[in-house]
């Protein structure tokens, strides 16, 4: 049997160019999280399936989880998301640490999905979560952080938008106005969550299959047609729901004060597929119609610590995937050129006897913090520059027969084309030229 060279379905090999892109995206994530004083954490790749059964929702458990019995008969899963892990970790320490707890991580996650654009079986997900922040301020900070991250890639409100809703509103509409039972509410949530993926006809058929009467259907459709905070406010007033009980309204005011309201759009169909969310929920979407997928999803979840028998500590956070982020950056031409690596200098010799000098020079330069690519076999001068270009070098050093005899080296600045001769052991001078 010949073994396949391809990676397992829905996973990726990261060859150096792809890995440079990933490193670039991760470095922006790390920088942004640390700009907001979030601390880095990590957890295990395997967790007990029970952890996800508690609050993640049926789609994840029934269709997407990679699970198996280990040799000790424990039923375990490869992590499909990070929120239950971070909640489990916070549950261990929340009594001892000052609030709010602000943490971030970039785990790889596995979900058994049909691989397609924006969806794979393994992806990396930037997670930021804050626990124990005062009402609305956690949500505000998390959304600010999301916007800052997108801006760090050069994106602005022409490129992306944040679609936002509040489960408190949806709960009130479903329970108080539509008079749904818990069970019916759950089914409606799932239906609303799928609404953008279903065509209109299918969606109507599925609504007709619910227990909603004609009056309830009218209110439901009226709710689904809301498209701005203003229209939401009118809807709340008309149905005697107190605006003050809705956090989204005060969040909207705070976003306006910070000049960020251009980024945020009320969308009644955003409810999120995971079950633990309790309040404000949001997704970041690419505005390009060719790439209409959520780049990021998150929201607030007040009760997750209760599954560990701990008092509730409100959490807010989001997860932003590397696959969708890269698609977004590509669509908008926001990815720098990573086709070649970067190195300060390439060292070449044109004569076999130069190898020792080349190795010594490389050793001294590296000891001075200069990155060096060494060409270990003699190379003709005309080939040096093509190689230097491929390796992304800023400078090229030439050790020809004459230079070796005289203890010299020629160094060329590849962007200005300036070339200078140095004594091979004058490291400080060489360092100054490369700076
Ligand atoms: P999620 O909406 O399931 O939320 O995932 C968040 C983001 O991860 C998605 O918007 C997408 O960019 C990416 N993503 C999810 N599944 C895949 C996949 N199969 N392939 C590629 N990318 C994917 C959560 O996971 C929540 N735990 C996020 C969170 C953190 N909420 C609060 N804190």
């Amino acid at each position: 049997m010949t073994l396949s060279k391809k990676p397992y379905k829905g996973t990726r090999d990261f060859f150096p160019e792809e890995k440079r892109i990933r490193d670039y995206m991760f470095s922006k994530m790390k920088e942004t999280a640390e700009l907001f004083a979030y601390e880095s954490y990590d957890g295990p790749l395997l967790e007990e399936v029970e952890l996800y059964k508690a609050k993640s929702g049926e789609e994840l458990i029934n269709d997407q989880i990679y699970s198996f019995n280990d040799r000790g008969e424990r039923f375990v899963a490869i992590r499909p998301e990070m929120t239950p892990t971070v909640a489990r970790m916070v549950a261990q320490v929340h009594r001892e640490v000052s609030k709010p707890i602000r943490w971030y991580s970039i785990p790889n996650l596995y979900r058994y999905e049909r691989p397609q654009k924006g969806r794979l079986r393994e992806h990396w997900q930037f997670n930021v979560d804050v626990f124990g922040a005062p009402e609305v301020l956690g949500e505000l900070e998390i959304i600010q952080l999301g916007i800052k991250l997108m801006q760090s890639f050069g994106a602005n409100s022409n490129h992306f938008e944040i679609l936002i809703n509040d489960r408190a509103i949806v709960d009130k509409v479903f329970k108080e106005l539509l008079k749904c039972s818990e069970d019916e509410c759950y089914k409606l949530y799932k239906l609303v969550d799928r609404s953008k993926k279903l065509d209109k006809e299918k969606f109507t058929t599925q609504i007709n299959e619910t227990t909603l009467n004609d009056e309830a259907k009218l209110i439901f459709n009226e709710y689904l047609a809301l498209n701005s905070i203003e229209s939401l406010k009118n809807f709340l007033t008309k149905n005697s729901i107190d605006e003050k009980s809705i956090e989204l309204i005060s969040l909207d005011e705070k976003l306006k004060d910070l000049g960020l309201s251009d980024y945020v759009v009320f969308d009644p169909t955003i409810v999120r597929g995971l079950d633990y969310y309790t309040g404000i929920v949001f997704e970041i979407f690419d505005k390009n119609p060719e790439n209409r997928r959520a780049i990021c999803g998150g929201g607030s979840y007040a009760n997750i610590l209760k599954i560990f028998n701990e008092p509730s500590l409100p959490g807010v956070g989001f997860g932003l995937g590397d696959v969708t982020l890269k698609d977004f950056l590509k669509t908008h031409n926001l990815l720098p050129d990573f086709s070649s690596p970067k190195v300060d200098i390439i060292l070449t010799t044109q004569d076999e006897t130069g190898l020792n000098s080349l190795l010594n020079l490389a050793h001294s330069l590296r000891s001075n913090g200069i990155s060096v690519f060494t060409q270990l076999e003699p190379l003709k001068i005309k080939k040096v520059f093509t190689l230097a270009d491929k390796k992304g070098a800023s400078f090229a050093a030439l050790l020809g027969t004459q230079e070796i005899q005289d203890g010299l080296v020629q160094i060329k600045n590849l962007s200005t084309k300036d070339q200078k001769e140095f004594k091979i052991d004058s490291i400080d001078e060489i360092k100054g030229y490369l700076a």
Side-chain angles (χ1 to χ4, degrees):
M1 189 183 82
T2 318
L3 279 178
S4 166
K5 289 182 200 144
K6 294 257 180 303
Y8 165 68
K9 186 171 178 179
T11 68
R12 291 159 289 170
D13 291 325
F14 289 86
F15 289 98
E17 181 174 346
E18 283 301 315
K19 184 63 168 38
R20 282 193 284 277
I21 295 175
R22 195 178 101 185
D23 288 346
Y24 166 72
M25 296 193 297
F26 285 13
S27 69
K28 294 283 179 199
M29 292 168 181
K30 191 171 146 54
E31 269 168 34
T32 310
E34 290 176 5
L35 196 64
F36 283 74
Y38 280 58
E39 293 176 73
S40 174
Y41 73 95
D42 207 348
L45 188 67
L46 295 182
E47 292 275 11
E48 305 247 1
V49 172
E50 286 303 317
L51 182 67
Y52 305 105
K53 275 197 180 154
K55 287 259 177 204
S56 294
E58 56 190 31
E59 192 190 8
L60 203 79
I61 297 294
N62 296 345
D63 306 332
Q64 298 180 341
I65 213 159
Y66 277 84
S67 55
F68 59 95
N69 280 314
D70 74 5
R71 288 166 199 266
E73 288 307 309
R74 284 170 215 91
F75 190 34
V76 290
I78 305 180
R79 59 187 176 194
E81 60 154 335
M82 200 60 173
T83 312
T85 300
V86 74
R88 188 177 58 65
M89 290 170 65
V90 166
Q92 294 173 59
V93 297
H94 72 100
R95 286 173 207 279
E96 294 101 64
V97 298
S98 61
K99 317 286 179 309
I101 300 169
R102 295 172 161 118
W103 287 358
Y104 80 92
S105 65
I106 315 176
N108 55 335
L109 309 174
Y110 272 77
R111 295 184 191 181
Y112 194 81
E113 297 208 52
R114 188 170 61 78
Q116 55 192 289
K117 187 168 188 290
R119 281 283 172 272
L120 293 176
R121 292 188 173 170
E122 183 189 38
H123 76 284
W124 272 256
Q125 198 188 80
F126 176 47
N127 274 250
V128 282
D129 289 274
V130 54
F131 290 82
E135 203 168 271
V136 187
L137 295 184
E139 287 82 348
L140 181 69
E141 183 171 288
I142 284 290
I143 288 174
Q144 268 181 287
L145 201 160
I147 295 173
K148 252 289 178 280
L149 173 68
M150 299 300 281
Q151 287 174 335
S152 76
F153 292 108
N156 58 41
S157 57
N158 294 323
H159 303 109
F160 73 95
E161 61 189 351
I162 302 182
L163 304 182
I164 199 163
N165 195 2
D166 189 336
R167 278 205 177 191
I169 301 169
V170 191
D171 273 349
K172 278 189 196 289
V173 172
F174 289 3
K175 287 186 186 147
E176 292 173 23
L177 305 182
L178 308 184
K179 312 260 183 280
C180 287
S181 65
E182 284 287 336
D183 230 30
E184 288 162 339
C185 275
Y186 189 78
K187 282 186 194 142
L188 268 191
Y189 260 112
K190 298 292 161 198
L191 192 53
V192 173
D193 187 41
R194 285 198 306 274
S195 61
K196 279 191 187 142
K197 290 178 201 143
L198 294 175
D199 64 48
K200 237 185 166 172
E201 226 172 274
K202 257 198 188 138
F203 184 67
T204 315
T205 316
Q206 297 203 7
I207 293 295
N208 288 337
E209 285 166 3
T210 64
T211 53
L212 296 183
N213 62 29
D214 286 351
E215 193 193 342
K217 271 185 214 155
L218 266 175
I219 301 175
F220 183 60
N221 284 329
E222 203 185 323
Y223 164 75
L224 284 181
L226 299 175
N227 59 8
S228 65
I229 292 282
E230 279 320 302
S231 65
L232 169 68
K233 283 181 180 169
N234 292 336
F235 177 84
L236 296 175
T237 315
K238 184 175 151 198
N239 290 292
S240 314
I241 298 173
D242 183 7
E243 265 186 24
K244 290 201 183 72
S245 67
I246 304 298
E247 289 186 347
L248 180 57
I249 306 287
S250 73
L251 174 68
D252 180 62
E253 274 153 26
K254 291 188 165 52
L255 286 165
K256 269 194 196 124
D257 288 348
L258 290 170
L260 296 176
S261 51
D262 274 1
Y263 286 98
V264 183
V265 179
F266 172 70
D267 185 330
T269 66
I270 298 293
V271 290
R272 308 278 297 131
L274 298 156
D275 288 352
Y276 42 72
Y277 296 107
T278 50
I280 286 165
V281 280
F282 63 91
E283 291 183 356
I284 299 185
F285 269 80
D286 191 336
K287 278 193 172 173
N288 185 333
E290 316 253 290
N291 193 33
R292 285 302 279 177
R293 243 193 202 292
I295 302 165
C296 153
S300 57
Y301 45 97
N303 302 322
I304 206 164
L305 258 55
K306 285 193 183 160
I307 64 176
F308 308 104
N309 258 339
E310 292 290 328
S312 60
L313 181 69
V316 193
F318 69 69
L320 180 141
D322 68 324
V323 183
T324 44
L325 176 63
K326 191 180 140 203
D327 286 346
F328 168 81
L329 297 175
K330 273 203 152 162
T331 313
H332 295 285
N333 263 333
L334 293 172
L335 261 187
D337 178 12
F338 286 106
S339 53
S340 54
K342 292 262 170 294
V343 69
D344 293 327
I345 187 164
I346 175 170
L347 302 194
T348 64
T349 173
Q350 284 63 59
D351 185 318
E352 253 167 44
T353 60
L355 189 61
N356 267 351
S357 308
L358 179 145
L359 293 177
N360 279 328
L361 180 58
H363 180 70
S364 308
L365 291 173
R366 287 176 184 141
S367 304
N368 279 276
I370 292 160
S371 58
V372 179
F373 178 95
T374 48
Q375 174 63 17
L376 298 174
E377 279 168 1
L379 192 68
K380 292 208 171 75
I381 288 196
K382 60 179 182 193
K383 291 197 173 163
V384 168
F385 302 107
T386 322
L387 182 65
D389 196 38
K390 262 196 208 150
K391 298 298 166 193
S394 309
F395 293 85
L398 308 163
L399 284 162
T401 313
Q402 195 58 52
E403 282 86 9
I404 297 159
Q405 273 172 20
D406 300 344
L408 299 171
V409 57
Q410 299 280 346
I411 300 185
K412 184 161 186 155
N413 181 327
L414 297 170
S415 46
T416 64
K417 309 290 177 220
D418 175 58
Q419 185 165 322
K420 239 180 139 176
E421 190 173 76
F422 294 88
K423 278 192 159 164
I424 198 151
D425 53 4
S426 63
I427 293 301
D428 285 345
E429 272 178 56
I430 297 177
K431 200 177 156 187
Y433 185 63
L434 301 186

